[in-house]
Amino acid sequence: MNATATLTTDERTDLLDTLAKHRHFLRFTTRDLTDEQAGLRTTAGELCLGGLIKHVTSVERSWADFIRNGPSAMGDFTAMTEADWAQRADEFKMLPGDTLAGVLAEYEEVTRGTDELIASLPDLDAAQPLPKAPWFQPQAQWSARRVLLHIIAETAQHAGHADIIRESLDGAKTMG
């Protein structure tokens, strides 16, 4: 095996291991909770544990689709209506019919697909133009590597949110 192939394999392993660690921390915050507890808001914000996992699932699915299909997978955020934004806000809530087991199962399915995608990509440098959105620089492009780093950051950030929500709920902590 040449040095480039070894580096690529090692890089993918490191990236996927880091993502797996933060996914674990996020999921761990929901241990031993009921569906009702997973939907409780315990801080001043709108976030609940089940809703955070729904959101991270949606974000990871969208970015994996972006790696495969480019900006059309995400749509044009500048053209979203109030109804679109309301539907997006539902990602952060446990809605009637949502269960913690169901939310976690969907997350597991999405994570498995992302891991398979990253492992099978011929080139982490392959880039796509970002979709239109007020928060992206026009004509910017992200490589698959950059997208994966974004998924890691998003997951880690929300795992921290989840830890605060869980500690506010019943004193349980992810670590310590």
Side-chain angles (χ1 to χ4, degrees):
M1 188 181 291
N2 66 37
T4 303
T6 301
L7 177 62
T8 302
T9 301
D10 291 342
E11 177 185 23
R12 286 173 203 247
T13 299
D14 287 346
L15 290 168
L16 289 172
D17 285 352
T18 300
L19 182 54
K21 176 182 76 170
H22 293 297
R23 287 171 175 158
H24 165 76
F25 288 143
L26 177 61
R27 284 190 302 266
F28 191 66
T29 62
T30 66
R31 70 197 177 281
D32 303 322
L33 292 181
T34 66
D35 294 339
E36 181 183 355
Q37 289 171 311
L40 291 176
R41 294 175 32 212
T42 62
T43 63
E46 295 287 322
L47 303 175
C48 67
L49 292 171
L52 275 174
I53 292 172
K54 284 176 60 176
H55 172 68
V56 172
T57 300
S58 176
V59 166
E60 187 165 326
R61 179 187 298 114
S62 293
W63 282 112
D65 287 346
F66 170 83
I67 290 171
R68 285 185 204 94
N69 303 309
S72 65
M74 298 177 115
D76 180 349
F77 290 97
T78 64
M80 287 179 63
T81 66
E82 285 186 40
D84 295 330
W85 287 111
Q87 182 178 7
R88 188 172 167 96
D90 284 346
E91 288 178 4
F92 290 94
K93 301 172 188 166
M94 291 288 282
L95 300 173
D98 286 343
T99 65
L100 181 56
V103 167
L104 289 169
E106 185 174 356
Y107 185 47
E108 184 64 30
E109 181 181 327
V110 167
T111 64
R112 205 172 25 257
T114 300
D115 291 351
E116 291 168 4
L117 171 65
I118 297 303
S120 68
L121 282 174
D123 184 4
L124 291 178
D125 290 324
Q128 301 273 13
L130 290 171
K132 285 186 178 181
W135 49 85
F136 293 137
Q137 184 178 8
Q139 280 80 50
Q141 293 190 0
W142 279 9
S143 66
R145 176 185 296 102
R146 177 65 183 90
V147 170
L148 185 55
L149 289 168
H150 179 73
I151 293 169
I152 291 168
E154 181 92 9
T155 304
Q157 177 181 18
H158 289 311
H161 291 142
D163 199 34
I164 292 167
I165 293 167
R166 178 63 191 258
E167 189 171 358
S168 297
L169 177 65
D170 63 4
K173 299 177 188 175
T174 301
M175 301 172 83

